[in-house]
Amino acid sequence: MEYPELIGPVISVLTGVTATYLTFVKVKKTFQDEVREEFKLKFQTVEDRMQALEKSFEKDVDHIKAVYNSEIKNLTEKIEDLREEIRQSTSQLIQLLTRISTDN
């Protein structure tokens, strides 16, 4: 068997293998690019959703703070009203006791 006769078929096989390898590399790169783009889109979607949730959470916290502060203000006013009522009742009680003691 002479080697020159094998050169043609070997070159043909090597050309086929090389073409197949190059096709495989192109398909691999295309797949990687598609996966990368899909990942970017999903990541952006998740990031957008996180930002929306963060804003919603901040609004909820601000609302809760406003309600809390309003309730504290209302309770403070009610306490002051009760203190004033106690002062007046105490003053009236002292006046009544003073009258009773002076009348006797």
Coordinates of all heavy atoms in Angstrom, one line a residue, residues 7-88:
I7 N -3.5 9.8 0.7 CA -3.5 11.2 1.0 C -4.9 11.9 0.6 O -5.4 12.6 1.4 CB -2.4 12.0 0.3 CG1 -1.1 11.5 0.9 CG2 -2.5 13.5 0.3 CD1 0.2 12.1 0.2
G8 N -5.4 11.5 -0.5 CA -6.7 12.1 -0.9 C -7.8 11.8 0.1 O -8.5 12.7 0.5
P9 N -8.0 10.5 0.4 CA -9.1 10.1 1.4 C -8.9 10.7 2.8 O -9.8 11.2 3.4 CB -9.1 8.6 1.4 CG -8.5 8.2 0.1 CD -7.5 9.3 -0.2
V10 N -7.6 10.8 3.2 CA -7.3 11.4 4.5 C -7.6 12.8 4.5 O -8.2 13.4 5.5 CB -5.8 11.1 4.9 CG1 -5.4 11.9 6.1 CG2 -5.6 9.6 5.2
I11 N -7.2 13.5 3.5 CA -7.5 15.0 3.4 C -9.0 15.2 3.3 O -9.6 16.1 4.0 CB -6.8 15.6 2.1 CG1 -5.3 15.6 2.4 CG2 -7.4 17.0 1.9 CD1 -4.5 16.2 1.2
S12 N -9.8 14.3 2.6 CA -11.2 14.4 2.6 C -11.8 14.2 3.9 O -12.7 15.0 4.3 CB -11.7 13.4 1.6 OG -13.1 13.4 1.5
V13 N -11.3 13.2 4.7 CA -11.9 13.0 6.0 C -11.5 14.1 6.9 O -12.4 14.6 7.7 CB -11.3 11.6 6.6 CG1 -11.6 11.5 8.1 CG2 -11.9 10.4 5.9
L14 N -10.3 14.6 6.9 CA -9.9 15.8 7.7 C -10.7 17.0 7.4 O -11.1 17.8 8.3 CB -8.4 16.1 7.6 CG -7.4 15.0 8.2 CD1 -6.0 15.4 7.9 CD2 -7.6 15.0 9.7
T15 N -11.0 17.2 6.1 CA -11.8 18.4 5.7 C -13.2 18.2 6.3 O -13.8 19.2 6.8 CB -11.9 18.5 4.2 OG1 -10.6 18.6 3.7 CG2 -12.7 19.6 3.7
G16 N -13.8 17.0 6.3 CA -15.1 16.8 6.8 C -15.1 17.0 8.3 O -16.1 17.6 8.9
V17 N -14.1 16.5 9.0 CA -14.0 16.6 10.4 C -13.9 18.1 10.8 O -14.5 18.6 11.7 CB -12.8 15.8 11.0 CG1 -12.6 16.2 12.5 CG2 -13.1 14.3 10.9
T18 N -13.0 18.8 10.1 CA -12.8 20.2 10.3 C -14.1 21.0 10.1 O -14.5 21.9 10.9 CB -11.7 20.8 9.4 OG1 -10.5 20.1 9.6 CG2 -11.5 22.3 9.7
A19 N -14.8 20.7 9.0 CA -16.1 21.4 8.7 C -17.1 21.1 9.8 O -17.8 22.0 10.3 CB -16.6 20.9 7.4
T20 N -17.2 19.8 10.3 CA -18.1 19.5 11.4 C -17.7 20.2 12.6 O -18.6 20.7 13.4 CB -18.1 17.9 11.6 OG1 -18.4 17.3 10.4 CG2 -19.0 17.5 12.7
Y21 N -16.4 20.3 12.9 CA -16.0 21.0 14.1 C -16.3 22.4 14.1 O -16.8 23.0 15.1 CB -14.5 20.8 14.3 CG -13.9 21.6 15.5 CD1 -14.1 21.2 16.8 CD2 -13.2 22.8 15.2 CE1 -13.6 21.9 17.8 CE2 -12.7 23.5 16.3 CZ -12.9 23.1 17.6 OH -12.4 23.8 18.7
L22 N -16.1 23.1 12.9 CA -16.4 24.5 12.8 C -17.9 24.7 12.9 O -18.3 25.7 13.5 CB -15.9 25.0 11.4 CG -14.4 25.1 11.3 CD1 -14.0 25.5 9.9 CD2 -13.8 26.1 12.4
T23 N -18.7 23.8 12.4 CA -20.2 23.9 12.5 C -20.6 23.8 14.0 O -21.4 24.5 14.5 CB -20.9 22.8 11.7 OG1 -20.5 23.0 10.3 CG2 -22.4 22.9 11.8
F24 N -19.9 22.8 14.7 CA -20.2 22.6 16.1 C -19.8 23.9 16.9 O -20.6 24.4 17.7 CB -19.4 21.4 16.6 CG -19.4 21.3 18.1 CD1 -20.6 20.8 18.7 CD2 -18.4 21.7 18.9 CE1 -20.6 20.7 20.1 CE2 -18.4 21.6 20.3 CZ -19.6 21.1 20.9
V25 N -18.7 24.5 16.6 CA -18.3 25.8 17.3 C -19.3 26.9 17.0 O -19.6 27.6 18.0 CB -16.8 26.2 16.8 CG1 -16.5 27.6 17.3 CG2 -15.8 25.1 17.3
K26 N -19.7 27.0 15.8 CA -20.7 28.1 15.5 C -22.0 27.8 16.2 O -22.6 28.7 16.8 CB -21.0 28.1 14.0 CG -19.9 28.7 13.2 CD -20.2 28.7 11.7 CE -19.0 29.2 10.9 NZ -19.3 29.1 9.4
V27 N -22.5 26.6 16.2 CA -23.7 26.2 16.9 C -23.6 26.5 18.4 O -24.5 27.0 19.1 CB -24.1 24.8 16.7 CG1 -25.2 24.3 17.6 CG2 -24.6 24.6 15.2
K28 N -22.4 26.1 19.0 CA -22.1 26.3 20.4 C -22.2 27.8 20.7 O -22.8 28.2 21.7 CB -20.8 25.7 20.8 CG -20.4 25.9 22.2 CD -19.0 25.4 22.5 CE -18.5 25.9 23.8 NZ -17.1 25.9 24.0
K29 N -21.5 28.6 19.9 CA -21.5 30.1 20.1 C -22.9 30.7 20.0 O -23.3 31.5 20.9 CB -20.6 30.8 19.2 CG -20.5 32.3 19.4 CD -19.4 32.9 18.7 CE -19.3 34.4 18.9 NZ -20.0 35.0 19.9
T30 N -23.7 30.2 19.0 CA -25.0 30.7 18.9 C -25.9 30.3 20.1 O -26.6 31.2 20.7 CB -25.7 30.1 17.6 OG1 -24.9 30.5 16.5 CG2 -27.1 30.6 17.4
F31 N -25.7 29.1 20.6 CA -26.5 28.7 21.8 C -26.0 29.5 23.0 O -26.9 29.9 23.8 CB -26.2 27.2 22.0 CG -26.9 26.6 23.2 CD1 -28.3 26.5 23.3 CD2 -26.1 26.4 24.4 CE1 -28.9 26.0 24.4 CE2 -26.8 25.9 25.5 CZ -28.1 25.7 25.5
Q32 N -24.7 29.7 23.2 CA -24.3 30.5 24.3 C -24.8 31.9 24.2 O -25.2 32.5 25.3 CB -22.7 30.5 24.3 CG -22.1 29.2 24.8 CD -20.6 29.3 24.7 OE1 -20.0 30.0 23.8 NE2 -19.9 28.5 25.5
D33 N -24.8 32.5 23.0 CA -25.4 33.9 22.9 C -26.8 33.9 23.2 O -27.3 34.8 23.9 CB -25.1 34.4 21.5 CG -23.6 34.6 21.2 OD1 -22.8 34.7 22.1 OD2 -23.3 34.8 20.0
E34 N -27.6 32.9 22.8 CA -29.0 32.9 23.1 C -29.3 32.7 24.6 O -30.1 33.4 25.1 CB -29.7 31.7 22.3 CG -29.8 32.0 20.8 CD -30.4 30.8 20.0 OE1 -30.7 29.8 20.6 OE2 -30.4 30.9 18.8
V35 N -28.5 31.8 25.2 CA -28.7 31.6 26.6 C -28.3 32.8 27.4 O -29.0 33.2 28.3 CB -27.8 30.4 27.1 CG1 -27.7 30.3 28.6 CG2 -28.4 29.1 26.5
R36 N -27.2 33.5 27.0 CA -26.8 34.7 27.6 C -27.9 35.8 27.5 O -28.2 36.5 28.5 CB -25.5 35.2 27.0 CG -24.8 36.4 27.7 CD -23.5 36.8 27.1 NE -22.5 35.7 27.4 CZ -21.9 35.0 26.5 NH1 -22.1 35.2 25.2 NH2 -21.0 34.0 26.8
E37 N -28.5 36.0 26.3 CA -29.5 37.0 26.1 C -30.7 36.6 27.0 O -31.3 37.5 27.6 CB -29.9 37.1 24.7 CG -29.0 38.0 23.8 CD -29.0 39.4 24.4 OE1 -30.0 40.0 24.7 OE2 -27.9 39.9 24.6
E38 N -31.1 35.4 27.0 CA -32.3 34.9 27.8 C -32.0 35.2 29.3 O -32.9 35.7 30.0 CB -32.5 33.4 27.6 CG -33.8 32.9 28.2 CD -34.1 31.5 27.9 OE1 -33.6 31.0 26.9 OE2 -34.7 30.8 28.8
F39 N -30.8 34.9 29.7 CA -30.4 35.2 31.1 C -30.5 36.7 31.4 O -31.0 37.1 32.5 CB -29.0 34.6 31.4 CG -28.5 34.9 32.8 CD1 -29.0 34.2 33.9 CD2 -27.6 36.0 33.0 CE1 -28.6 34.5 35.1 CE2 -27.2 36.3 34.3 CZ -27.7 35.5 35.4
K40 N -30.0 37.5 30.5 CA -30.0 38.9 30.7 C -31.5 39.4 30.8 O -31.8 40.2 31.7 CB -29.3 39.7 29.6 CG -27.8 39.6 29.6 CD -27.2 40.4 28.4 CE -25.7 40.3 28.4 NZ -25.2 40.9 27.2
L41 N -32.3 38.9 30.0 CA -33.8 39.3 30.0 C -34.4 38.9 31.3 O -35.1 39.7 32.0 CB -34.5 38.7 28.8 CG -34.2 39.4 27.5 CD1 -34.9 38.6 26.4 CD2 -34.6 40.8 27.4
K42 N -34.1 37.7 31.7 CA -34.7 37.2 33.0 C -34.2 38.0 34.2 O -34.9 38.3 35.1 CB -34.5 35.7 33.2 CG -35.3 34.8 32.3 CD -35.1 33.4 32.5 CE -36.0 32.5 31.6 NZ -35.9 31.1 31.8
F43 N -32.9 38.2 34.1 CA -32.3 39.0 35.2 C -32.9 40.4 35.3 O -33.2 40.9 36.4 CB -30.7 39.0 35.0 CG -30.0 39.8 36.1 CD1 -29.8 39.1 37.3 CD2 -29.6 41.1 36.0 CE1 -29.2 39.8 38.4 CE2 -29.0 41.8 37.0 CZ -28.8 41.1 38.2
Q44 N -33.0 41.0 34.1 CA -33.6 42.4 34.1 C -35.0 42.3 34.6 O -35.5 43.2 35.4 CB -33.6 42.9 32.7 CG -34.0 44.4 32.6 CD -33.1 45.3 33.4 OE1 -31.9 45.2 33.3 NE2 -33.7 46.2 34.1
T45 N -35.8 41.3 34.3 CA -37.2 41.2 34.8 C -37.2 41.0 36.3 O -38.0 41.7 37.0 CB -37.8 40.0 34.1 OG1 -37.8 40.1 32.7 CG2 -39.3 39.8 34.6
V46 N -36.3 40.2 36.8 CA -36.2 40.0 38.3 C -35.8 41.3 38.9 O -36.4 41.7 39.9 CB -35.3 38.9 38.6 CG1 -34.9 38.9 40.1 CG2 -35.8 37.6 38.2
E47 N -34.8 42.0 38.3 CA -34.4 43.3 38.9 C -35.5 44.3 38.9 O -35.7 45.0 39.9 CB -33.2 43.8 38.1 CG -32.4 44.9 38.7 CD -31.2 45.3 38.0 OE1 -31.3 45.7 36.8 OE2 -30.1 45.1 38.6
D48 N -36.2 44.4 37.8 CA -37.4 45.4 37.7 C -38.4 45.0 38.8 O -38.9 45.9 39.4 CB -38.0 45.3 36.3 CG -37.1 45.9 35.2 OD1 -36.1 46.5 35.6 OD2 -37.4 45.7 34.0
R49 N -38.7 43.8 38.9 CA -39.7 43.3 39.9 C -39.2 43.7 41.3 O -40.0 44.1 42.2 CB -39.9 41.8 39.8 CG -41.0 41.3 40.8 CD -42.4 41.8 40.4 NE -43.3 41.2 41.3 CZ -44.3 41.8 41.9 NH1 -44.5 43.0 41.6 NH2 -45.1 41.2 42.7
M50 N -37.9 43.5 41.6 CA -37.4 43.8 42.9 C -37.5 45.3 43.2 O -37.8 45.7 44.3 CB -35.9 43.4 43.0 CG -35.7 41.9 43.1 SD -36.1 41.2 44.6 CE -34.8 41.8 45.6
Q51 N -37.2 46.1 42.2 CA -37.3 47.6 42.4 C -38.8 48.0 42.6 O -39.0 48.8 43.5 CB -36.8 48.3 41.2 CG -35.3 48.2 41.1 CD -34.7 48.9 39.8 OE1 -35.5 49.3 38.9 NE2 -33.4 49.0 39.7
A52 N -39.7 47.3 41.9 CA -41.1 47.6 42.1 C -41.6 47.2 43.5 O -42.3 48.0 44.2 CB -42.0 46.9 41.1
L53 N -41.1 46.1 44.0 CA -41.4 45.6 45.3 C -40.8 46.5 46.4 O -41.4 46.8 47.4 CB -41.0 44.2 45.6 CG -41.8 43.1 44.8 CD1 -41.1 41.7 45.0 CD2 -43.2 43.0 45.4
E54 N -39.6 47.0 46.1 CA -38.9 47.9 47.1 C -39.7 49.2 47.2 O -39.9 49.7 48.3 CB -37.5 48.2 46.6 CG -36.7 49.0 47.6 CD -35.3 49.2 47.1 OE1 -34.8 48.4 46.3 OE2 -34.6 50.2 47.6
K55 N -40.1 49.8 46.1 CA -40.9 51.0 46.1 C -42.2 50.8 46.8 O -42.7 51.6 47.6 CB -41.2 51.5 44.7 CG -39.9 52.1 44.0 CD -40.2 52.5 42.6 CE -39.0 53.1 41.9 NZ -39.2 53.5 40.5
S56 N -42.9 49.7 46.5 CA -44.2 49.4 47.2 C -43.9 49.2 48.7 O -44.7 49.7 49.5 CB -44.7 48.1 46.6 OG -45.9 47.7 47.3
F57 N -42.9 48.6 49.1 CA -42.6 48.4 50.5 C -42.3 49.7 51.2 O -42.8 50.0 52.3 CB -41.3 47.5 50.7 CG -40.9 47.2 52.1 CD1 -41.6 46.4 52.9 CD2 -39.8 47.9 52.6 CE1 -41.3 46.2 54.2 CE2 -39.4 47.7 53.9 CZ -40.2 46.9 54.7
E58 N -41.6 50.6 50.5 CA -41.3 51.9 51.1 C -42.6 52.7 51.2 O -42.8 53.4 52.3 CB -40.3 52.7 50.2 CG -38.9 52.1 50.2 CD -38.0 52.8 49.2 OE1 -38.4 53.7 48.5 OE2 -36.8 52.4 49.2
K59 N -43.5 52.6 50.3 CA -44.8 53.3 50.4 C -45.6 52.8 51.6 O -46.2 53.5 52.3 CB -45.6 53.2 49.1 CG -45.1 54.0 48.0 CD -45.9 53.8 46.7 CE -45.4 54.6 45.6 NZ -46.2 54.3 44.3
D60 N -45.6 51.4 51.7 CA -46.3 50.8 52.9 C -45.7 51.3 54.2 O -46.4 51.6 55.1 CB -46.2 49.3 52.8 CG -47.1 48.8 51.6 OD1 -47.9 49.5 51.1 OD2 -46.9 47.6 51.3
V61 N -44.4 51.3 54.3 CA -43.7 51.7 55.5 C -44.0 53.2 55.8 O -44.3 53.5 56.9 CB -42.2 51.5 55.4 CG1 -41.5 52.2 56.6 CG2 -41.9 50.0 55.5
D62 N -44.0 54.0 54.8 CA -44.3 55.4 55.0 C -45.8 55.6 55.5 O -46.1 56.4 56.3 CB -44.1 56.2 53.7 CG -42.6 56.4 53.3 OD1 -41.8 56.2 54.2 OD2 -42.3 56.7 52.2
H63 N -46.7 54.8 54.9 CA -48.1 54.9 55.3 C -48.2 54.4 56.8 O -48.9 55.1 57.5 CB -48.9 54.0 54.4 CG -50.4 53.9 54.8 ND1 -51.2 55.0 54.7 CD2 -51.1 52.9 55.3 CE1 -52.4 54.6 55.1 NE2 -52.4 53.4 55.5
I64 N -47.6 53.4 57.1 CA -47.6 52.9 58.5 C -47.1 53.9 59.4 O -47.6 54.1 60.5 CB -46.9 51.5 58.6 CG1 -47.7 50.4 57.9 CG2 -46.7 51.1 60.1 CD1 -47.0 49.1 57.7
K65 N -46.0 54.5 59.1 CA -45.4 55.6 59.9 C -46.4 56.8 60.1 O -46.6 57.3 61.2 CB -44.1 56.1 59.3 CG -42.9 55.2 59.5 CD -41.7 55.9 58.8 CE -40.5 55.0 58.9 NZ -39.3 55.6 58.2
A66 N -47.0 57.2 59.0 CA -48.0 58.3 59.1 C -49.2 57.9 60.0 O -49.6 58.7 60.8 CB -48.5 58.6 57.7
V67 N -49.7 56.7 59.8 CA -50.8 56.2 60.7 C -50.4 56.2 62.1 O -51.1 56.6 63.0 CB -51.3 54.9 60.2 CG1 -52.3 54.3 61.2 CG2 -52.0 55.0 58.9
Y68 N -49.2 55.7 62.4 CA -48.6 55.5 63.8 C -48.5 56.9 64.4 O -49.0 57.2 65.5 CB -47.3 54.8 63.7 CG -46.6 54.8 65.0 CD1 -46.9 53.9 66.0 CD2 -45.5 55.7 65.3 CE1 -46.3 53.8 67.2 CE2 -44.9 55.6 66.5 CZ -45.3 54.7 67.5 OH -44.6 54.7 68.7
N69 N -47.9 57.9 63.6 CA -47.7 59.2 64.2 C -49.1 59.9 64.4 O -49.2 60.6 65.4 CB -46.9 60.0 63.2 CG -45.4 59.6 63.2 OD1 -44.9 59.1 64.2 ND2 -44.7 59.9 62.1
S70 N -50.0 59.7 63.5 CA -51.4 60.2 63.7 C -52.0 59.7 65.0 O -52.6 60.4 65.8 CB -52.2 59.9 62.5 OG -53.5 60.4 62.7
E71 N -51.9 58.4 65.2 CA -52.5 57.8 66.4 C -51.8 58.2 67.6 O -52.5 58.5 68.6 CB -52.4 56.2 66.3 CG -53.4 55.6 65.3 CD -54.8 55.9 65.6 OE1 -55.2 55.8 66.8 OE2 -55.6 56.3 64.7
I72 N -50.5 58.4 67.6 CA -49.8 58.9 68.8 C -50.3 60.3 69.1 O -50.5 60.7 70.2 CB -48.3 58.9 68.5 CG1 -47.7 57.5 68.4 CG2 -47.5 59.7 69.6 CD1 -47.8 56.7 69.7
K73 N -50.4 61.1 68.0 CA -50.9 62.5 68.2 C -52.3 62.5 68.9 O -52.6 63.2 69.8 CB -51.0 63.3 66.9 CG -51.4 64.7 67.0 CD -51.4 65.4 65.7 CE -51.9 66.8 65.8 NZ -51.9 67.5 64.5
N74 N -53.2 61.7 68.3 CA -54.6 61.6 68.9 C -54.6 61.1 70.3 O -55.3 61.7 71.2 CB -55.4 60.6 68.0 CG -55.8 61.1 66.7 OD1 -55.8 62.3 66.5 ND2 -56.1 60.2 65.8
L75 N -53.8 60.1 70.6 CA -53.7 59.6 72.0 C -53.1 60.7 73.0 O -53.6 60.8 74.1 CB -52.8 58.3 72.1 CG -53.5 57.1 71.5 CD1 -52.5 55.9 71.5 CD2 -54.7 56.7 72.2
T76 N -52.1 61.4 72.5 CA -51.5 62.5 73.3 C -52.6 63.6 73.6 O -52.7 64.0 74.7 CB -50.4 63.2 72.5 OG1 -49.4 62.1 72.3 CG2 -49.7 64.3 73.3
E77 N -53.4 63.9 72.6 CA -54.5 64.9 72.8 C -55.5 64.4 73.8 O -56.0 65.1 74.7 CB -55.1 65.2 71.5 CG -54.3 66.1 70.6 CD -54.8 66.3 69.2 OE1 -56.0 65.7 68.9 OE2 -54.2 66.9 68.4
K78 N -55.9 63.1 73.7 CA -56.8 62.5 74.6 C -56.3 62.5 76.1 O -57.0 62.7 77.0 CB -57.2 61.1 74.2 CG -58.1 61.0 73.0 CD -58.5 59.6 72.6 CE -59.3 59.6 71.3 NZ -59.7 58.3 70.9
I79 N -55.0 62.2 76.2 CA -54.4 62.2 77.5 C -54.4 63.6 78.1 O -54.7 63.7 79.3 CB -52.9 61.6 77.4 CG1 -53.0 60.1 77.2 CG2 -52.1 61.9 78.7 CD1 -51.6 59.5 76.9
E80 N -54.1 64.6 77.3 CA -54.1 65.9 77.8 C -55.5 66.3 78.2 O -55.7 67.0 79.2 CB -53.6 66.9 76.7 CG -52.1 66.8 76.5 CD -51.3 67.1 77.8 OE1 -51.7 68.1 78.6 OE2 -50.3 66.4 78.1
D81 N -56.5 65.9 77.4 CA -57.9 66.2 77.8 C -58.3 65.5 79.1 O -59.0 66.2 80.0 CB -58.9 65.7 76.7 CG -58.8 66.5 75.4 OD1 -58.2 67.6 75.4 OD2 -59.3 66.1 74.3
L82 N -57.9 64.3 79.3 CA -58.2 63.6 80.5 C -57.5 64.3 81.7 O -58.0 64.4 82.8 CB -57.7 62.1 80.4 CG -58.6 61.2 79.5 CD1 -58.0 59.9 79.4 CD2 -60.0 61.1 80.1
R83 N -56.2 64.7 81.5 CA -55.5 65.4 82.6 C -56.3 66.7 83.0 O -56.4 67.0 84.1 CB -54.1 65.8 82.1 CG -53.1 64.6 82.1 CD -51.7 65.0 81.7 NE -50.8 63.9 81.7 CZ -49.7 63.9 81.1 NH1 -49.3 64.9 80.5 NH2 -48.9 62.8 81.2
E84 N -56.7 67.4 82.0 CA -57.5 68.6 82.2 C -58.8 68.3 83.0 O -59.1 69.0 83.9 CB -57.8 69.4 80.9 CG -58.4 70.7 81.1 CD -57.6 71.7 81.9 OE1 -56.3 71.6 81.9 OE2 -58.2 72.5 82.7
E85 N -59.5 67.3 82.6 CA -60.7 66.9 83.3 C -60.4 66.5 84.8 O -61.1 66.9 85.7 CB -61.3 65.7 82.6 CG -62.1 66.0 81.4 CD -62.7 64.8 80.8 OE1 -63.2 63.8 81.5 OE2 -62.8 64.7 79.5
I86 N -59.3 65.8 85.0 CA -58.9 65.4 86.4 C -58.5 66.7 87.2 O -58.9 66.8 88.3 CB -57.7 64.4 86.3 CG1 -58.1 63.1 85.8 CG2 -57.0 64.3 87.7 CD1 -57.0 62.1 85.6
R87 N -57.8 67.6 86.5 CA -57.5 68.9 87.2 C -58.8 69.6 87.7 O -58.9 70.1 88.8 CB -56.7 69.8 86.3 CG -55.2 69.4 86.3 CD -54.4 70.5 85.5 NE -53.2 69.9 85.0 CZ -52.9 69.6 83.7 NH1 -53.8 70.0 82.8 NH2 -51.8 69.1 83.4
Q88 N -59.7 69.7 86.7 CA -61.0 70.4 87.0 C -61.8 69.7 88.1 O -62.3 70.3 89.0 CB -61.8 70.5 85.7 CG -61.3 71.5 84.7 CD -62.1 71.5 83.4 OE1 -63.1 70.8 83.3 NE2 -61.6 72.4 82.5

